[in-house]
Coordinates of all heavy atoms in Angstrom, one line a residue:
A1727 N 165.3 86.9 81.9 CA 164.8 87.8 81.0 C 164.7 87.1 79.6 O 163.8 87.5 78.9 CB 165.8 89.0 80.9
E1728 N 165.7 86.3 79.4 CA 165.5 85.5 78.0 C 164.3 84.7 78.2 O 163.6 84.7 77.0 CB 166.7 84.6 77.9 CG 168.2 85.4 77.8 CD 169.3 84.6 77.5 OE1 169.3 83.4 77.5 OE2 170.3 85.1 77.4
K1729 N 164.0 84.1 79.2 CA 162.8 83.3 79.3 C 161.5 84.2 78.9 O 160.7 83.8 78.2 CB 162.7 82.6 80.6 CG 161.4 81.9 80.9 CD 161.5 81.2 82.3 CE 160.2 80.3 82.5 NZ 160.4 79.5 83.5
E1730 N 161.5 85.4 79.7 CA 160.3 86.2 79.5 C 160.1 86.7 78.0 O 159.0 86.7 77.5 CB 160.5 87.5 80.4 CG 160.2 87.3 81.8 CD 158.8 87.2 82.2 OE1 158.0 87.3 81.3 OE2 158.5 87.2 83.4
V1731 N 161.3 87.0 77.4 CA 161.2 87.4 76.0 C 160.8 86.3 75.1 O 159.8 86.5 74.2 CB 162.7 87.9 75.6 CG1 162.8 87.9 74.0 CG2 162.8 89.2 76.1
L1732 N 161.3 85.1 75.2 CA 160.8 84.0 74.4 C 159.3 83.6 74.6 O 158.7 83.3 73.6 CB 161.7 82.7 74.7 CG 163.2 82.9 74.2 CD1 164.1 81.8 74.5 CD2 163.3 83.3 72.8
L1733 N 158.9 83.7 75.8 CA 157.5 83.4 76.1 C 156.6 84.6 75.4 O 155.7 84.1 74.8 CB 157.2 83.6 77.6 CG 157.5 82.4 78.5 CD1 157.3 82.8 80.0 CD2 156.6 81.3 78.1
D1734 N 157.0 85.8 75.5 CA 156.2 86.8 74.9 C 156.2 86.7 73.4 O 155.3 86.9 72.7 CB 156.7 88.2 75.2 CG 156.3 88.7 76.6 OD1 155.6 87.9 77.2 OD2 156.7 89.7 77.1
I1735 N 157.3 86.3 72.8 CA 157.2 86.1 71.2 C 156.4 84.9 70.9 O 155.7 85.0 70.0 CB 158.8 85.8 70.8 CG1 159.6 87.1 71.1 CG2 158.8 85.5 69.4 CD1 161.1 87.0 70.7
D1736 N 156.5 83.9 71.8 CA 155.6 82.7 71.5 C 154.1 83.1 71.6 O 153.2 82.6 70.9 CB 156.0 81.7 72.6 CG 155.6 80.3 72.1 OD1 156.0 80.0 70.9 OD2 155.0 79.6 72.9
E1737 N 153.7 84.1 72.4 CA 152.4 84.4 72.7 C 151.9 85.5 71.7 O 150.7 85.8 71.6 CB 152.2 85.0 74.1 CG 152.4 84.0 75.2 CD 152.3 84.7 76.7 OE1 151.6 85.6 76.8 OE2 152.9 84.1 77.5
G1738 N 152.9 86.1 70.9 CA 152.3 86.9 69.9 C 152.9 88.3 69.9 O 152.5 89.2 69.2
A1739 N 154.1 88.5 70.6 CA 154.6 89.9 70.6 C 155.4 90.1 69.4 O 156.1 89.1 68.8 CB 155.7 90.1 71.8
D1740 N 155.3 91.3 68.7 CA 156.0 91.6 67.5 C 157.4 92.3 67.7 O 158.2 92.3 67.0 CB 155.1 92.5 66.7 CG 153.8 91.9 66.4 OD1 153.7 91.0 65.5 OD2 152.9 92.1 67.1
I1741 N 157.4 93.0 68.9 CA 158.7 93.7 69.3 C 158.7 93.5 70.8 O 157.8 93.4 71.6 CB 158.6 95.3 69.1 CG1 158.2 95.5 67.5 CG2 159.9 96.1 69.4 CD1 157.9 97.1 67.3
V1742 N 160.0 93.3 71.3 CA 160.1 93.0 72.8 C 160.9 94.1 73.3 O 161.6 94.9 72.7 CB 160.7 91.6 73.0 CG1 159.8 90.5 72.6 CG2 162.2 91.5 72.4
M1743 N 160.8 94.3 74.7 CA 161.4 95.4 75.4 C 162.3 95.0 76.5 O 161.9 94.1 77.3 CB 160.4 96.5 75.8 CG 160.9 97.8 76.1 SD 159.8 98.8 77.1 CE 158.4 99.0 76.0
V1744 N 163.2 95.8 76.7 CA 164.0 95.7 78.1 C 163.9 97.1 78.8 O 163.9 98.0 78.1 CB 165.6 95.4 77.9 CG1 166.3 95.6 79.1 CG2 165.7 94.0 77.2
K1745 N 163.6 97.0 80.1 CA 163.3 98.2 80.8 C 163.8 98.1 82.3 O 163.3 97.1 82.8 CB 161.8 98.6 80.7 CG 161.4 99.7 81.5 CD 159.9 99.8 81.4 CE 159.6 101.1 82.4 NZ 158.1 101.1 82.6
P1746 N 164.4 99.0 82.8 CA 165.0 100.2 82.3 C 166.3 99.9 81.3 O 166.5 98.7 81.1 CB 165.6 100.9 83.5 CG 164.9 100.4 84.7 CD 164.5 99.0 84.3
A1747 N 166.8 100.8 80.8 CA 168.0 100.7 79.9 C 169.4 100.7 80.4 O 170.1 99.6 80.3 CB 168.0 101.7 78.7
L1748 N 169.8 101.8 81.0 CA 171.1 101.9 81.5 C 171.7 100.8 82.5 O 172.8 100.2 82.3 CB 171.5 103.2 82.0 CG 171.6 104.4 81.0 CD1 171.9 105.7 81.6 CD2 172.4 104.0 79.8
P1749 N 170.9 100.4 83.5 CA 171.4 99.4 84.4 C 171.3 98.1 83.8 O 171.7 97.1 84.4 CB 170.6 99.6 85.7 CG 169.6 100.8 85.5 CD 169.6 101.0 84.0
Y1750 N 170.7 97.9 82.6 CA 170.4 96.5 82.1 C 171.0 96.5 80.6 O 170.4 95.7 79.8 CB 168.9 96.3 82.1 CG 168.5 96.3 83.5 CD1 167.9 97.4 84.0 CD2 168.5 95.2 84.2 CE1 167.4 97.5 85.4 CE2 168.2 95.2 85.6 CZ 167.7 96.4 86.1 OH 167.2 96.4 87.5
L1751 N 172.1 97.2 80.4 CA 172.7 97.1 79.0 C 173.0 95.7 78.6 O 173.0 95.2 77.4 CB 173.9 98.0 78.9 CG 173.6 99.5 78.9 CD1 174.8 100.3 78.9 CD2 172.7 100.0 77.7
D1752 N 173.6 94.9 79.8 CA 173.8 93.5 79.5 C 172.8 92.8 78.9 O 172.8 91.8 78.2 CB 174.6 92.9 80.7 CG 173.6 92.9 81.9 OD1 172.9 93.9 82.1 OD2 173.5 92.0 82.6
V1753 N 171.6 93.0 79.6 CA 170.4 92.3 79.2 C 169.9 92.6 77.7 O 169.6 91.8 77.0 CB 169.2 92.5 80.2 CG1 167.9 91.9 79.9 CG2 169.6 92.3 81.6
I1754 N 170.1 93.9 77.5 CA 169.8 94.3 76.0 C 170.6 93.5 75.1 O 170.2 92.9 74.1 CB 170.0 95.8 75.9 CG1 169.0 96.6 76.7 CG2 169.9 96.2 74.3 CD1 169.3 98.1 76.7
Y1755 N 171.9 93.4 75.4 CA 172.9 92.7 74.5 C 172.6 91.2 74.4 O 172.6 90.6 73.4 CB 174.3 92.8 75.3 CG 175.3 92.2 74.4 CD1 176.0 92.9 73.4 CD2 176.0 91.0 74.8 CE1 177.0 92.3 72.7 CE2 177.1 90.4 74.1 CZ 177.5 91.1 73.1 OH 178.5 90.6 72.3
R1756 N 172.1 90.5 75.5 CA 171.7 89.2 75.5 C 170.5 88.9 74.7 O 170.4 88.0 73.9 CB 171.3 88.7 77.0 CG 172.4 88.2 77.9 CD 171.7 88.0 79.2 NE 172.7 87.6 80.1 CZ 172.9 86.3 80.5 NH1 172.1 85.3 80.1 NH2 173.9 86.0 81.4
I1757 N 169.5 89.9 75.0 CA 168.3 89.7 74.3 C 168.4 89.8 72.7 O 167.8 89.1 71.8 CB 167.1 90.6 74.8 CG1 167.0 90.3 76.2 CG2 165.9 90.6 73.9 CD1 166.5 89.0 76.6
K1758 N 169.3 90.9 72.4 CA 169.5 91.0 71.0 C 169.9 89.7 70.2 O 169.6 89.4 69.1 CB 170.5 92.1 70.7 CG 170.7 92.5 69.4 CD 169.4 93.1 68.6 CE 169.5 93.1 67.2 NZ 168.0 93.2 66.6
K1759 N 170.7 88.8 71.0 CA 171.2 87.7 70.4 C 170.2 86.6 70.2 O 170.4 85.6 69.5 CB 172.4 87.2 71.3 CG 173.6 88.0 71.3 CD 174.8 87.3 71.7 CE 176.2 88.1 71.7 NZ 176.5 88.6 70.3
I1760 N 169.2 86.6 71.1 CA 168.3 85.4 71.0 C 166.8 85.8 70.5 O 166.2 84.8 70.1 CB 168.0 84.8 72.4 CG1 167.4 85.8 73.4 CG2 169.3 84.3 73.0 CD1 166.5 85.2 74.4
A1761 N 166.5 87.1 70.3 CA 165.2 87.4 69.9 C 165.1 87.5 68.5 O 166.1 88.2 67.7 CB 164.8 88.7 70.5
D1762 N 164.1 87.0 67.7 CA 164.1 87.1 66.2 C 163.0 88.2 66.0 O 162.4 88.2 64.9 CB 163.5 85.7 65.7 CG 162.3 85.1 66.2 OD1 161.7 85.9 67.1 OD2 162.0 84.2 65.7
T1763 N 162.9 89.1 66.9 CA 162.0 90.3 66.8 C 162.8 91.5 66.9 O 163.9 91.4 67.6 CB 160.9 90.3 67.8 OG1 161.5 90.6 69.1 CG2 160.0 89.1 67.7
P1764 N 162.5 92.7 66.5 CA 163.1 93.9 66.9 C 163.0 94.0 68.4 O 162.2 93.6 69.0 CB 162.3 95.0 66.2 CG 161.7 94.3 65.1 CD 161.3 92.9 65.6
L1765 N 164.0 94.9 68.8 CA 164.2 95.1 70.3 C 164.2 96.5 70.6 O 164.9 97.4 70.1 CB 165.6 94.4 70.7 CG 166.1 94.7 72.2 CD1 165.0 94.2 73.2 CD2 167.4 94.1 72.4
C1766 N 163.2 96.9 71.7 CA 163.1 98.2 72.1 C 163.7 98.3 73.5 O 163.7 97.3 74.3 CB 161.7 98.5 72.2 SG 161.2 100.2 72.8
A1767 N 164.3 99.4 73.8 CA 164.8 99.7 75.2 C 164.2 101.0 75.7 O 163.9 101.9 75.1 CB 166.3 99.9 75.3
Y1768 N 163.8 101.0 77.1 CA 163.1 102.1 77.6 C 164.1 102.9 78.6 O 164.5 102.3 79.6 CB 161.9 101.7 78.4 CG 160.8 102.7 78.7 CD1 159.5 102.4 78.7 CD2 161.1 104.0 79.2 CE1 158.4 103.4 79.0 CE2 160.2 105.0 79.3 CZ 158.9 104.6 79.3 OH 157.9 105.6 79.6
N1769 N 164.5 104.0 78.1 CA 165.3 104.9 78.9 C 164.4 105.6 79.9 O 163.9 106.6 79.6 CB 166.0 105.8 78.0 CG 166.9 106.8 78.4 OD1 167.0 108.0 78.0 ND2 167.7 106.4 79.4
V1770 N 164.2 105.1 81.1 CA 163.1 105.4 81.9 C 163.3 106.8 82.6 O 164.3 107.5 82.6 CB 162.8 104.4 82.9 CG1 162.5 103.1 82.2 CG2 163.9 104.3 83.9
S1771 N 162.2 107.2 83.3 CA 162.0 108.4 84.0 C 163.4 108.8 85.0 O 163.9 109.8 84.9 CB 160.8 108.6 84.9 OG 160.7 107.5 85.8
G1772 N 163.8 107.8 85.8 CA 164.8 108.1 86.7 C 166.1 108.3 86.0 O 167.0 109.1 86.3
E1773 N 166.2 107.7 84.8 CA 167.6 107.9 83.9 C 167.5 109.3 83.4 O 168.6 109.9 83.2 CB 167.6 106.8 82.9 CG 167.6 105.4 83.4 CD 167.5 104.3 82.3 OE1 168.5 104.2 81.6 OE2 166.4 103.7 82.2
Y1774 N 166.3 109.7 83.0 CA 166.1 111.2 82.5 C 166.4 112.1 83.6 O 167.2 113.0 83.4 CB 164.7 111.2 82.0 CG 164.3 112.6 81.6 CD1 164.5 113.1 80.3 CD2 163.5 113.5 82.4 CE1 164.1 114.3 79.9 CE2 163.1 114.7 82.0 CZ 163.4 115.2 80.8 OH 163.0 116.4 80.4
S1775 N 165.8 111.9 84.8 CA 165.9 112.9 85.9 C 167.3 112.9 86.4 O 167.8 114.0 86.9 CB 165.1 112.5 87.0 OG 163.6 112.4 86.5
M1776 N 168.0 111.8 86.3 CA 169.5 111.8 86.8 C 170.3 112.9 85.9 O 171.0 113.7 86.4 CB 170.1 110.5 86.5 CG 170.3 109.6 87.7 SD 171.1 108.1 87.6 CE 171.0 107.5 86.0
V1777 N 170.1 112.8 84.6 CA 170.8 113.7 83.8 C 170.3 115.1 83.9 O 171.2 116.1 84.0 CB 170.5 113.3 82.3 CG1 171.1 114.4 81.3 CG2 171.1 112.0 81.9
K1778 N 169.0 115.4 84.2 CA 168.5 116.7 84.4 C 169.0 117.3 85.6 O 169.3 118.4 85.7 CB 166.9 116.7 84.4 CG 166.2 116.5 83.1 CD 166.4 117.7 82.2 CE 165.9 117.3 80.7 NZ 166.2 118.5 79.7
S1779 N 169.1 116.4 86.7 CA 169.6 117.0 88.0 C 171.1 117.3 87.9 O 171.5 118.4 88.5 CB 169.2 116.2 89.2 OG 169.3 114.8 89.0

Side-chain angles (χ1 to χ4, degrees):
E1728 297 185 354
K1729 176 177 182 169
E1730 285 280 9
V1731 161
L1732 294 177
L1733 280 172
D1734 281 0
I1735 294 174
D1736 206 44
E1737 289 175 30
D1740 303 279
I1741 305 175
V1742 294
M1743 193 199 296
V1744 172
K1745 175 190 177 188
L1748 287 184
Y1750 301 94
L1751 291 175
D1752 60 318
V1753 178
I1754 295 174
Y1755 185 79
R1756 273 174 183 258
I1757 299 303
K1758 187 59 195 167
K1759 290 199 182 301
I1760 63 153
D1762 58 2
T1763 66
L1765 171 60
C1766 179
Y1768 200 141
N1769 178 219
V1770 302
S1771 59
E1773 300 175 72
Y1774 173 83
S1775 303
M1776 255 186 339
V1777 171
K1778 288 287 173 190
S1779 41

